[in-house]
Amino acid sequence: MKKKWLKYTMLLLSLGVLGIVSYYTYAIIQFSNQISTASHPVEPKETTDDAQEQVIAIPKWEGKERVNILLIGGDSRGDDAGRSDTMLVASIDPVTKKAHLFSILRDTYVDIPGHGKGRLNSAFAYGGIELARQTIGDLLDLPIHKYVYTDFVGFIALVDSIGGVDIEVEKDMYYISKADKHMYDIDLKQGLQHLDGDMALQYVRFRHDARSDFARTERQRILMTEVAKKMQTTGSLIKLPGILESIAPYIETDLSPKEMLKLAALGFDVNLDKIDQQQLPPFSLLTNETVGRAQVLGVDKSKLQQYVKQLLETENAP
């Protein structure tokens, strides 16, 4: 009798697990179809007996080559197209399961195809995602395979959807934004803080001190890593459908739905405690330059490309 009871219990548990996996896979596919600009979206499969195996089989990333994804946070407000407020490149080796997170200094003075030289964040204003991708790829000598774009509202929605994150705020941060009618004022206190979406946006945008954009990009890397860690937790997985639904209106990407599923599976294999976080260009390669009356950050492009190449080669060294 006990064996029979155990058999039925295991059968019910198995059916429950299959149902849960199917539900979450369906949610991811729905989300992917909604935000992807890829031309061939994947339609969610019906959960019939014949299709059950297709629904629950989350595809694996088959490629062996490193994949580089541009993460752009825009400061567009209303009808203003804005500029790229945040630019990061996530670089993942699907073989070693190791990842780099590069934040690109937006005041770097670069060649912008078709527009001469200018600050890096101007590329987005001139030509949107595609020109920003081309400019960053040329600067780093890295192929930028895919992009993910969101704005302030989308960033707030993402952090709120996972219940916020705990961050050690290194000092008091205060700034009044009259131009935005105080919508983006900054007022954070030093110490360990639980940041909701609005507070997290304040944390990653603050740059009104001596270290300016250098400290700001460092905070962006810290915050994005903590968000990724939170997404890996069981609690966030349980809430996954709701998370995806809340952020879908504010995100755009050229990842196809199938690619998103594969990257999601790959992302859970990455040890986020060992992710390499870097500012690019590094301090050692930066020069302060004046163009007209504006201060910009100069860099020798060939030296920067060699620096990035050595970083990635070192990772794969035995």
Side-chain angles (χ1 to χ4, degrees):
M1 183 69 180
K2 185 176 181 180
K3 289 184 177 179
K4 187 175 182 180
W5 175 84
L6 182 60
K7 177 182 178 181
Y8 284 123
T9 301
M10 293 305 295
L11 178 60
L12 287 172
L13 285 174
S14 298
L15 289 173
V17 170
L18 288 176
I20 289 170
V21 174
S22 299
Y23 173 56
Y24 284 105
T25 306
Y26 179 83
I28 293 173
I29 292 174
Q30 288 284 68
F31 166 76
S32 304
N33 282 334
Q34 187 173 349
I35 70 172
S36 178
T37 61
S39 57
H40 300 292
V42 174
E43 294 297 331
K45 306 291 185 182
E46 294 182 6
T47 55
T48 62
D49 291 340
D50 292 339
Q52 184 73 29
E53 185 176 349
Q54 289 177 286
V55 174
I56 65 173
I58 297 180
K60 294 292 185 180
W61 190 271
E62 301 96 349
K64 304 300 182 183
E65 298 298 319
R66 176 178 299 278
V67 57
N68 305 308
I69 302 172
L70 175 61
L71 310 174
I72 290 192
D75 65 352
S76 56
R77 309 162 199 186
D79 295 330
D80 179 13
R83 291 174 293 181
S84 47
D85 191 66
T86 301
M87 291 168 287
L88 301 104
V89 174
S91 182
I92 306 172
D93 188 320
V95 177
T96 65
K97 304 299 191 295
K98 293 181 180 179
H100 295 263
L101 184 63
F102 300 126
S103 52
I104 320 299
L105 293 172
R106 64 181 190 174
D107 288 336
T108 307
Y109 198 58
V110 299
D111 294 308
I112 302 175
H115 297 273
K117 296 185 73 70
R119 283 191 175 94
L120 179 57
N121 67 333
S122 298
F124 183 80
Y126 291 144
I129 293 288
E130 289 307 320
L131 185 58
R133 169 160 48 187
Q134 182 181 354
T135 303
I136 291 172
D138 290 346
L139 176 66
L140 305 181
D141 193 27
L142 276 181
I144 304 298
H145 302 105
K146 299 292 177 177
Y147 75 86
V148 179
Y149 170 82
T150 189
D151 59 12
F152 289 172
V153 179
F155 179 85
I156 292 172
L158 171 60
V159 177
D160 282 339
S161 69
I162 61 173
V165 290
D166 295 325
I167 294 288
E168 185 72 37
V169 179
E170 69 270 23
K171 62 181 177 181
D172 290 349
M173 299 178 185
Y174 184 76
Y175 177 73
I176 297 295
S177 179
K178 294 181 180 179
D180 294 307
K181 299 180 181 179
H182 302 287
M183 184 178 298
Y184 298 111
D185 287 354
I186 298 173
D187 189 7
L188 296 176
K189 301 302 180 185
Q190 181 180 7
L192 182 63
Q193 304 278 349
H194 182 76
L195 305 184
D196 61 14
D198 181 69
M199 296 169 70
L201 182 63
Q202 295 178 45
Y203 176 73
V204 298
R205 292 191 65 235
F206 183 77
R207 62 187 182 95
H208 304 280
D209 59 11
R211 294 188 64 209
S212 187
D213 208 36
F214 303 113
R216 190 179 74 108
T217 54
E218 182 179 359
R219 286 190 290 272
Q220 290 169 358
R221 296 192 300 273
I222 292 172
L223 193 284
M224 292 306 297
T225 301
E226 290 304 313
V227 167
K229 288 179 180 179
K230 190 76 175 283
M231 289 291 289
Q232 283 186 337
T233 64
T234 304
S236 289
L237 286 177
I238 292 173
K239 298 184 291 184
L240 182 60
I243 292 173
L244 299 182
E245 183 179 356
S246 66
I247 65 176
Y250 312 109
I251 292 180
E252 178 187 312
T253 181
D254 63 346
L255 284 161
S256 71
K258 190 173 184 179
E259 288 170 332
M260 275 183 254
L261 285 171
K262 291 179 179 180
L263 276 177
L266 178 61
F268 277 96
D269 290 334
V270 173
N271 185 344
L272 295 174
D273 288 323
K274 295 184 177 180
I275 189 171
D276 177 54
Q277 300 183 27
Q278 297 272 348
Q279 165 199 295
L280 295 179
F283 286 114
S284 60
L285 297 181
L286 285 175
T287 58
N288 289 313
E289 299 182 10
T290 302
V291 178
R293 296 182 179 181
Q295 294 291 320
V296 297
L297 299 174
V299 65
D300 184 315
K301 187 166 74 170
S302 62
K303 290 182 179 179
L304 174 60
Q305 292 174 353
Q306 185 62 30
Y307 177 84
V308 173
K309 182 180 178 181
Q310 288 177 349
L311 276 178
L312 302 182
E313 287 179 346
T314 301
E315 173 188 289
N316 295 323

